[in-house]
Amino acid sequence: MNIWDNDNEFSLGRKVAYDDFTTIDWTHDFNLEELRKRKLNKGKGIKKHWNQLVDKSKGWIVVLSVGASVGILAGYINVISEWLSDLKVGYCSTNFYLNQEFCCWGNDPPLNLHCSEWVPWGQVLSTSNSSTSPALEYILGYSFYILFSLVLALVSAILVLNFAPYAAGCGITEVKTILGGFVIRRFLGKWTLLIKSVGLCLSSSSGLSIGKEGPLVHVACCCGNLFLRFFNKYKHNEAKKREILSAAASAGVSVAFGAPIGGVLFSLEELSYYFPLKTMWRSFISAMVASIFLKIVNPFRTGKLVMFQVTYTRNWHGFEMIFFLILGVLGGLYGTLFIKLNLWLTKFRRDSWLNKYPIQEVIAITLITSAIGFPNIFMRLDTSELLSNLFTECDDNSLSILCPKSNIFKTITLLLIASLLKLLLTIVTFGVRVPAGLFLPSMAIGACFGRIVGIIVQELSKNSQSFFFQACQVGTNCINPGTYAMVGAAAALGGVTRMTVSLVVIMFELTGALTYVLPIMVAVMTSKWVGDAFDRGGIYDGLIRLNGYPFLHNKQDYPSDHTTGQVMTRVNDLVVIPADQISLSQIDELLQYTNFKGFPIVRSSNDPFLIGFISRSELRTGIEHAKLSSTVDGSSPCLFDIVDSDSLGILEHGSFVDLRYWTDHTPITVTPTTTMGVVIDLFCKLGLRYVLVAKHGELLGVITKKDVLKHIDIIEYPKLAQGNNLA
Amino acid sequence: MNIWDNDNEFSLGRKVAYDDFTTIDWTHDFNLEELRKRKLNKGKGIKKHWNQLVDKSKGWIVVLSVGASVGILAGYINVISEWLSDLKVGYCSTNFYLNQEFCCWGNDPPLNLHCSEWVPWGQVLSTSNSSTSPALEYILGYSFYILFSLVLALVSAILVLNFAPYAAGCGITEVKTILGGFVIRRFLGKWTLLIKSVGLCLSSSSGLSIGKEGPLVHVACCCGNLFLRFFNKYKHNEAKKREILSAAASAGVSVAFGAPIGGVLFSLEELSYYFPLKTMWRSFISAMVASIFLKIVNPFRTGKLVMFQVTYTRNWHGFEMIFFLILGVLGGLYGTLFIKLNLWLTKFRRDSWLNKYPIQEVIAITLITSAIGFPNIFMRLDTSELLSNLFTECDDNSLSILCPKSNIFKTITLLLIASLLKLLLTIVTFGVRVPAGLFLPSMAIGACFGRIVGIIVQELSKNSQSFFFQACQVGTNCINPGTYAMVGAAAALGGVTRMTVSLVVIMFELTGALTYVLPIMVAVMTSKWVGDAFDRGGIYDGLIRLNGYPFLHNKQDYPSDHTTGQVMTRVNDLVVIPADQISLSQIDELLQYTNFKGFPIVRSSNDPFLIGFISRSELRTGIEHAKLSSTVDGSSPCLFDIVDSDSLGILEHGSFVDLRYWTDHTPITVTPTTTMGVVIDLFCKLGLRYVLVAKHGELLGVITKKDVLKHIDIIEYPKLAQGNNLA
């Protein structure tokens, strides 16, 4: 049985019909770019060199502007969301627009966050001479906290829903799909940029369990898309456009984590489809410029690029590797759990009654989060502050609860509760209709777990005489729980995203803990292995599959022993253009009544000898061009073939529509016995949109990217496909 | 005029005829691997899963063994060469096999290198009660230094010349070519491994201006080649082999610099041709394991992975960026100078009388180096010690000469002399017939220059009241010359190799100076731009061109508006197999009298209808297979085409040689109007060895990788090609 017989019914659970999206043809676009460059080289002397210089500098201008604007934007997003976040707990009596840190600036000791200028909401009723009771203060503070959280989240959700629905969520899934060669209109538009930036400030300060990192990548890509519109070179070439977007994504990660190198690697490993050395180099510079501008805008925040600067005075010991391995396993399990539950919930949210109440959903989740969050010290803290505290080595200034001297059970219990609650809240929150990422919450959960393991190991080692801990001298404090938190954070993030090299680099740019690169590596490795044992691919791949985005992994192998002959759409089911007898009016009809993206051209209706291929857009341009001439009418024949001068002579007698310039006479063709493995390889490596199947010059059929994606679904999920066919 | 008419005479200065090398066909090899995998999946139940598990684990076993062995080997190479290097200046009187550090181990203060057990050669004549004059001591020391240097270099050169000529030099150029898909026999053999390891210990300790880093990459690839031989999966598949070699190269860089991430990126950016995510992941692990084992073998050396751990107490200021830019420009100029002079010298060495006296050349250079080196403190120091000193911030323990309190001119003069001499010596030395790299010497030269700039800026800023230095408070010491040395080192290395992202990562893994990532980035960027303005491509690309290695850059664009029709070898000039009438004996003749790597198959001599392609090796295997059967003789016809059952019925009457299994019926074909830009893209991205040019099913010609390389030479060096055509 040919599984492709009922091709039209075949949907494999894809809810979004991806015919709505346009696939780009990389090869075609690169050829256009080459043509353009050749024209540029046609000039002479100084003018030619000048033109070339101007052309080259365009790319740099865009990359530098993107870097600068992303840095500035991220800086302001940070400043505003910090202020809003502080507004939940109090206000600055001298200048309401200052956050707690700046309100108490210049105090003694420096960075003392408690000062008379900063008024917690609990004390808002107390006047200088009479003070309210602590219970009332607490209740007041609690109420204001919940109220502000609600307002912030609500405004964010309303903005997103009414003005830019694409601004919701993380955006990395879609960015990955777009970089993979698909067009999602308005996803990178200026409205999305505006609403996502504003919404991100609001939602990230509302206390919801979400991160700013993923959305910042989306914001950066919007910036990239905005700037490249100034240059036709990029505006009109989807493939070239993606070079800029890849660089912009690097800038986004760079400012999100303060990790320029990590940003480049993230773009390479996780996001980009086509990443030549030139793009890598540009990404590098874009990421760098973004970091510099972030530092300029946001100078007093840390003064350093490293977000969670850690300075560990102790090195790690060989025996600790076992615990790092355990953390890796935990991270992998966490990742699997998170992906399974979140995907299930996302599907439920999309397909059920819940779909109709996005605002109510946001309200409910915010209420729960803020009600839970206020009483628990670990939950109330800003996620990045929490991470920073979890990572640090215990000394005299550290949060005393994290460095228990005697009763470790209270600390462990609190951390365990915090991490479990955070896990549940993050699963529920990731996917609601506000700008929201999952990097930082995932890291926080992993860090809590890591810190728990670290505290336990520290306690075990303290007075142990066993062989296992012999590297520790008895009585000294040789275990640093902060390290475990760091390793745990990396493992958890690795479990969710299945990143490898880029994650390690981000971790050590984030913490500066270069000597801990081996433990982090081991944990990330284990986490990926454990996760992959359950299900291949991270959360973003899962979401791509769930949303039915047409994405072709070019970094994966798809062995397939079907032949193209089995998979192709046969020539009888295709609309082909017979080169010998098609008139202008017939082509008009063709364009009107079909919506195919392109048409193979054969010698005549009876003779399926392949002459070429013409894409819909070029066919339209071609005939519009031709219609300007007065000599053609609806009955004029169209000329597609590069005929030799003899037959051209004949044709020149009558008037005809010359479409030869618009026809691709050299489409990529394969034979019907070529295996699909080879064809998938061709699609992946060359970024094709279609291949023609021909034998001995005769057109037999066509394979489109859609066919390839369907075929891959069948290879990868044979059961699912079968079930679908039976239904 | 068709420039390809005199194809046979066309050589473009290539001295090594690269027909001697075999090109691999990536697509073909991947198809073979897919076939193999499909066979593996054919089994049932537990056995199938077991087979798959065993098959998968093979890759990991190889990668882990390579990592471990590279780490161990690098550790021992370090230990031995340190001992040999110390032997030049003295010996350990208690245990002659200890180096200075271990000889004086346990002294007070720790790491005090001056102790009574360690006897400098100058004092070898003095007994306990009588001491020789200082002048005599100096002369004695000097003589011993020169003598030992000579012996070490000489033994290294003799070993290399007599046992493994491929062990000479750096090896990165050839590794890059091999990873690009070419086979250079014995280059990665066990003899090369042995001699290169031993020779590297000798030559790097001889005081010559060479580094261990490049050769370590070659050594690592030899290890990889050794281990993969145990598994047929890798042994018999050149494309799969390269996956392991890429990982091995990462391990090599990882141990050379103590930079596992940098190693992966170096392999990605500089060396590897085909680097999918799976290979990246394996490289990562291989690099990690190598680092761990290096740490185990070599534990007392630093105890840390970071080679030149720097701890800067001061951050950099905005105005310093100008000086970092200047350092970048200097680095680019240095790189250009180095490449031009070294390539000229390498050409001279190869083509002139010098070619006959490799041993004498080594002797002469060693004599000069050691005679110059002994009196100058900066030259006598081991290159890595020198770098370490140049990078450090001035404090009470630093080399006083590098932190001048008053007379800065003496320091600047000494540094200037050292860097200029080192520059000359490195240019002369890189290319002699001993294992020798250029990473560390280049960095040392750059660091000397950087330190000079740093000291000058420090002096300028010290008491300046100008606006420019206002970030520095008057009277304080706000400039750190160590930073300038580090940035200068990165810029110089960037100028020579034109590495970008990987270099920045290596630099910060090397020094741990994460906060200095922006200055390093800026310097590397500027250095590459300045260098590229003179000539594109680093020293390795230059050497590839000079040696005429057949290397196709897949990370570069080659726009070309020639068509395949202009470039192809026409069918009339080809040896093709007519499918209808070729007998076994004719094929035997074909194999005997031609040495083409493959043959297109057409329908008959008169009808050039394309049927397929058969490679030489598969044709040979096919007929050898057929000859085992008793029914065939020399006159038996050969069958290539997949004929339908009717004609098969006819053929079954007689005896025939069935070569259908060995024939590729689906070769990649293009039409004669396809531009070369597209064809080059196909070769790069799919790793092809040939494409067939056909129109309407009719074979018109063939384009081989060789043709493509020649064509690229013409695009890139039109003048050179023209000159060659006229000559």
Side-chain angles (χ1 to χ4, degrees), chain B residues 207-232:
Chain B
L208 281 171
S209 180
I210 58 179
K212 282 202 292 275
E213 287 64 31
L216 271 178
V217 175
H218 184 187
V219 166
C221 285
C222 290
C223 280
N225 196 39
L226 209 66
F227 280 105
L228 60 80
R229 284 191 197 158
F230 292 110
F231 299 105
N232 285 332

Side-chain angles (χ1 to χ4, degrees), chain B residues 311-329:
Chain B
T311 40
Y312 295 142
T313 52
R314 281 162 292 193
N315 211 329
W316 53 281
H317 311 280
F319 72 86
E320 291 186 272
M321 207 47 110
I322 292 166
F323 302 107
F324 298 143
L325 266 171
I326 293 173
L327 284 178
V329 173

Side-chain angles (χ1 to χ4, degrees), chain B residues 54-68:
Chain B
V54 168
D55 189 61
K56 269 191 186 169
S57 63
K58 280 175 187 169
W60 289 111
I61 293 172
V62 175
V63 165
L64 292 175
S65 340
V66 170

Side-chain angles (χ1 to χ4, degrees), chain B residues 144-145 214 408 471 560-561:
Chain B
F144 268 99
Y145 184 86
I408 64 160
S560 162
D561 50 359

